[in-house]
Amino acid sequence: MRHSERKMKITTTVLALALLVGWSASPALAQAPPSYSPEQLDRLVSRIALYPDPLLAQVLAAATFSDQIPDAAKWADEHHYLTGDELAKAISEDHLSWDPSVQALLPFPSVLEMMASDMKWTRDLGDAFLAQHQDVMDAIQRMRQKAKDFGYLRSNDRIVVSGGPYIEILPVDPAFICVPAYDPLVVFFPPRPGIVVGAAISFGFGVTITAAFRPWGWGLCRFDWGAHVVFINNAPWGRIWANRGVYVHPYGELHRWEPAHRVEGHRLTPRSEEERHAARMGHPRPEEHHR
């Protein structure tokens, strides 16, 4: 056998083996999946475990594209004055290249700000959801159960908290998604003297999601907690550690733009510090007394 033929045969064999064991041409994609203990996962999900299920589903999906979060947070902050159908139109008109799961959070500048301000946490959450999505869902249920057992998590005029065996948190008004504000160091532990249980979680801040946001999966996101399945845009979210470089979730009505096609046709007006503070504290927007 000639040297060139032998070299080609060896190369073909190596490529075949690479496919069998799941190697990737990208060193980053070839990394072994991370492994988090139940205790680590509990801490990781604690700051979002009490989000309503539709918002929680979108956050988990978006976290798997953690590198896109900072730019999305900046866009959301600078376009915060747009709401409802006008915001959905602006998202489409700007030809944004981020994954639709990230774009779905653009109506929530405070959520994206929280994620962008702690990128290590966001990357860890996304990696955990890619590598151990069932364990992540179990951790969320454990934390919800603690908050419920200690009297902090209960139904009110914003959310409906289900019984068991799995705790669902659903918005009273499906078109109004509240963003609860709470201290994980309070709500997942027995009440201390002087703590008013009913005031530990604030549900005053929220966003009205119109039908125009349906292409990004809103209204079609849910959990099947028993089967450990997350549905985004009415389809099981199938992005895991092994296929994260190639998986494309179905969003039938959305065009996926390349970064070079980005346009900007709107004025850029960042939120005031008062507006940012109100969202962090779970209060309605300063200029709004009613939604």
Side-chain angles (χ1 to χ4, degrees):
M1 181 183 297
R2 290 182 299 180
H3 175 73
S4 60
E5 293 175 340
R6 182 165 60 252
K7 183 178 180 181
M8 182 178 295
K9 183 176 182 180
I10 292 173
T11 301
T12 303
T13 303
V14 170
L15 288 173
L17 288 173
L19 290 173
L20 287 174
V21 300
W23 289 359
S24 169
S26 168
L29 295 179
Q31 294 175 352
S35 178
Y36 299 88
S37 68
E39 294 76 15
Q40 289 175 315
L41 291 174
D42 287 354
R43 290 193 296 270
L44 195 57
V45 305
S46 63
R47 67 177 73 177
I48 58 169
L50 304 187
Y51 280 15
D53 284 14
L55 178 59
L56 176 64
Q58 298 278 28
V59 168
L60 290 175
T64 68
F65 295 93
S66 59
D67 60 311
Q68 300 177 10
I69 295 297
D71 287 342
K74 184 175 185 294
W75 191 99
D77 188 70
E78 294 175 338
H79 296 77
H80 75 285
Y81 63 90
L82 296 170
T83 59
D85 293 0
E86 287 187 353
L87 176 58
K89 183 180 178 182
I91 295 172
S92 297
E93 289 178 343
D94 279 9
H95 296 176
L96 303 176
S97 61
W98 311 312
D99 188 79
S101 63
V102 176
Q103 295 182 34
L105 293 181
L106 292 174
F108 298 85
S110 64
V111 174
L112 284 169
E113 177 193 41
M114 178 269 293
M115 298 174 75
S117 66
D118 190 348
M119 284 303 298
K120 183 182 185 306
W121 173 82
T122 301
R123 283 191 295 269
D124 286 346
L125 179 67
D127 287 350
F129 191 55
L130 286 169
Q132 300 172 249
H133 82 273
Q134 294 187 6
D135 297 334
V136 168
M137 292 178 66
D138 288 341
I140 291 168
Q141 284 295 317
R142 284 194 298 271
M143 302 311 283
R144 287 183 171 186
Q145 190 64 58
K146 287 183 179 181
K148 188 176 182 182
D149 289 346
F150 296 138
Y152 297 108
L153 181 61
R154 61 183 74 172
S155 297
N156 55 41
D157 62 339
R158 297 294 195 198
I159 61 167
V160 176
V161 179
S162 71
Y166 303 102
I167 299 175
E168 294 181 323
I169 304 176
L170 299 175
V172 170
D173 178 355
F176 185 73
I177 309 296
C178 63
V179 183
Y182 60 90
D183 185 346
L185 296 179
V186 172
V187 300
F188 300 121
F189 296 91
R192 297 191 296 270
I195 293 293
V196 180
V197 173
I201 309 175
S202 174
F203 293 94
F205 179 80
V207 176
T208 298
I209 298 295
T210 66
F213 286 95
R214 187 62 60 88
W216 288 275
W218 287 106
L220 300 169
C221 296
R222 67 186 189 280
F223 288 86
D224 184 335
W225 292 102
H228 290 95
V229 178
V230 181
F231 289 85
I232 304 289
N233 199 37
N234 215 30
W237 182 260
R239 191 166 193 250
I240 60 174
W241 188 265
N243 69 5
R244 67 194 189 283
V246 296
Y247 177 80
V248 178
H249 194 69
Y251 292 88
E253 299 179 45
L254 291 181
H255 182 88
R256 292 178 183 264
W257 296 98
E258 294 296 328
H261 293 129
R262 169 78 176 269
V263 297
E264 182 57 78
H266 313 89
R267 62 182 172 88
L268 305 181
T269 307
R271 291 176 297 163
S272 67
E273 191 52 44
E274 185 183 11
E275 289 172 309
R276 293 191 180 99
H277 180 72
R280 295 187 198 111
M281 299 303 294
H283 302 318
R285 293 179 177 86
E287 71 276 14
E288 293 182 351
H289 299 289
H290 308 282
R291 66 177 177 88

